Amino acid sequence: MVRQQNFFQKIVSKIKPGFWLYVAIYAMVLIICASVFLIYTENSLVRYEKSQAINVVEDFAKNLKKQALKEQLPDGARVPSLYTVFNLEDAFMDDFGAQFSKDTKMTVMKQKDSYDTSRPAYDIYAGDVRVAEIELEAVNSKVIFGLLTISDWKVNYFEPIVQAYEADNVTVTIPNTHKITINGVTVDQTFAKKQDIAVADFATFKQYLKEQVTLSEYEIPGALMNGTLKITNKDGGEVFYTPKENGDIYVNYGEYAATVPSPYGETAMNIAKTWDNFLTSDLPGNGLSTIVPCLIKGSNFHEQAIIYVNNDLWMVSAHNTASNVYSNVATKDYTRYTEDCFSCHVRFTKTMYLYKQNKYATTEMDSVIYFVHYDDTDDGVVNPAWKMVAMATASK
């Protein structure tokens, strides 16, 4: 009796000898290809991960710490030019290295405004202290795995930082005839914030000055204040200063002395008394011929004198000029601005006896008076004289 084959047995019976060998070989090839693909995938991912810029920066940070502990910088790095220009390299390296210790943990953080993936920028921290900025540049870029881009990286920019130096800038204001040096190096105009600033004190009479007095304002990076800052006048003499509480420096535009040198003190007092006598009608006639030589023709004081004579002189109470008495007479606080301009504090009290009222009256002079050496004559001869050009209330 012949046994009938089922469907599966019919299929198997028709398979040629050696088929299973082919199947085994094919399966082996698939397994090998899959293994190769998995290995390639894993290697690609590893290469991609290793090629990330963050890894390069982290390795750089580790080397930076190692070098900084020896007060050195990584190969190719330099102290920022701001410090080399002013001979602060050694001080910078001392302070830079002091930010690190053997236990310092180095971290890196991508800068918030770093959007170019081919030039990523990072901040490097030693603990909580920002010690450097670095920017990398992608080179030899290529695509792997059909979609992953890997690159080699080179340092495009690196700057070591001393965080303590990142203080606010210091504003230094000096007369335009002066100059600033730091460690003997002149601070040039690249640091100038404002130039040719007019001085308010001279606003009413600057047209009478041969040498205009203006100021320059410099903005000095706080880091440079670690050097020795000196200010010198046009003659090369050192000018001493006292920084304000916020560190800013303001150098007076004049050379100050508590005592007024002779004969400037006598000149100032005589002109001040003449002006006061003019206002109290203690000069011959209406006083104009006496007071005008003390003033510059056409100046504010000259115009005031003419107005006073024409309008207010009649209001002066009658008194005997010869009996006037001066007390508390003093000149002080001499300031020389230029060869042809100075000021000083003039003080006196004049007591007058008003014989019609049968009583005493006083006038007080307590002002800072400005004088200019000026020739307002039209005689063809250069013969300048000291003239009163401005007056300000003296500070107590």
Side-chain angles (χ1 to χ4, degrees), residues 322-355:
S323 65
N324 291 345
V325 177
Y326 290 92
S327 59
N328 301 319
V329 179
T331 58
K332 61 179 182 177
D333 299 333
Y334 171 81
T335 304
R336 190 62 177 253
Y337 305 105
T338 65
E339 289 299 317
D340 60 337
C341 181
F342 78 92
S343 72
C344 66
H345 182 179
V346 180
R347 185 184 70 221
F348 60 79
T349 300
K350 183 174 70 176
T351 302
M352 302 167 288
Y353 175 67
L354 310 182
Y355 51 81

Side-chain angles (χ1 to χ4, degrees), residues 128-185:
D128 296 326
V129 179
R130 192 170 76 104
V131 294
E133 292 181 355
I134 187 172
E135 180 186 87
L136 302 181
E137 182 178 356
V139 295
N140 302 325
S141 298
K142 58 184 177 181
V143 177
I144 61 172
F145 203 57
L147 51 84
L148 299 177
T149 301
I150 64 173
S151 304
D152 295 326
W153 298 95
K154 72 173 185 177
V155 177
N156 186 54
Y157 167 80
F158 170 75
E159 181 171 3
I161 295 169
V162 176
Q163 185 166 285
Y165 288 1
E166 296 186 315
D168 293 337
N169 292 342
V170 173
T171 299
V172 181
T173 305
I174 59 173
N176 62 338
T177 54
H178 291 31
K179 73 175 183 178
I180 307 168
T181 61
I182 296 176
N183 288 347
V185 180

Side-chain angles (χ1 to χ4, degrees), residues 29-98:
V29 170
L30 289 178
I31 292 172
I32 292 173
C33 288
S35 297
V36 170
F37 178 77
L38 289 175
I39 293 172
Y40 173 73
T41 300
E42 182 179 4
N43 289 340
S44 296
L45 293 176
V46 169
R47 290 177 65 192
Y48 177 75
E49 180 62 28
K50 285 184 177 180
S51 73
Q52 295 303 294
I54 186 70
N55 297 318
V56 176
V57 178
E58 287 177 346
D59 290 341
F60 188 95
K62 293 176 183 177
N63 183 52
L64 177 64
K65 172 184 172 181
K66 185 186 301 183
Q67 297 297 105
L69 290 174
K70 296 185 289 186
E71 294 189 357
Q72 297 176 356
L73 293 175
D75 291 343
R78 297 288 183 270
V79 173
S81 60
L82 178 65
Y83 309 104
T84 58
V85 167
F86 292 97
N87 303 315
L88 287 167
E89 300 100 319
D90 292 342
F92 178 88
M93 286 308 306
D94 288 343
D95 294 334
F96 181 73

Side-chain angles (χ1 to χ4, degrees), residues 66-260:
K66 185 186 301 183
Q67 297 297 105
L69 290 174
K70 296 185 289 186
E71 294 189 357
Q72 297 176 356
L73 293 175
D75 291 343
R78 297 288 183 270
V79 173
S81 60
L82 178 65
Y83 309 104
T84 58
V85 167
F86 292 97
N87 303 315
L88 287 167
E89 300 100 319
D90 292 342
F92 178 88
M93 286 308 306
D94 288 343
D95 294 334
F96 181 73
Q99 299 176 123
F100 298 80
S101 70
K102 288 190 283 188
D103 299 324
T104 298
K105 181 181 178 181
M106 302 300 296
T107 56
V108 299
M109 184 177 297
K110 192 172 184 180
Q111 294 181 353
K112 293 180 179 179
D113 58 352
S114 177
Y115 303 113
D116 188 347
T117 56
S118 66
R119 286 194 174 190
Y122 296 83
D123 291 321
I124 301 177
Y125 289 83
D128 296 326
V129 179
R130 192 170 76 104
V131 294
E133 292 181 355
I134 187 172
E135 180 186 87
L136 302 181
E137 182 178 356
V139 295
N140 302 325
S141 298
K142 58 184 177 181
V143 177
I144 61 172
F145 203 57
L147 51 84
L148 299 177
T149 301
I150 64 173
S151 304
D152 295 326
W153 298 95
K154 72 173 185 177
V155 177
N156 186 54
Y157 167 80
F158 170 75
E159 181 171 3
I161 295 169
V162 176
Q163 185 166 285
Y165 288 1
E166 296 186 315
D168 293 337
N169 292 342
V170 173
T171 299
V172 181
T173 305
I174 59 173
N176 62 338
T177 54
H178 291 31
K179 73 175 183 178
I180 307 168
T181 61
I182 296 176
N183 288 347
V185 180
T186 300
V187 175
D188 62 27
Q189 299 304 310
T190 59
F191 294 90
K193 185 178 179 182
K194 297 178 183 178
Q195 293 181 278
D196 297 325
I197 304 170
V199 177
D201 289 0
F202 307 129
T204 60
F205 61 88
K206 63 182 181 181
Q207 66 270 33
Y208 305 121
L209 298 176
K210 292 179 182 178
E211 182 182 341
Q212 292 299 313
V213 180
T214 59
L215 305 177
S216 294
E217 186 178 290
Y218 292 81
E219 197 166 71
I220 309 296
L224 296 185
M225 299 307 291
N226 292 281
T228 301
L229 187 148
K230 288 186 178 181
I231 299 172
T232 53
N233 58 27
K234 64 179 181 179
D235 298 321
E238 185 173 357
V239 177
F240 297 97
Y241 57 87
T242 300
K244 299 178 182 179
E245 289 186 5
N246 64 357
D248 290 347
I249 297 170
Y250 184 92
V251 173
N252 202 325
Y253 38 84
E255 296 179 7
Y256 173 81
T259 302
V260 184

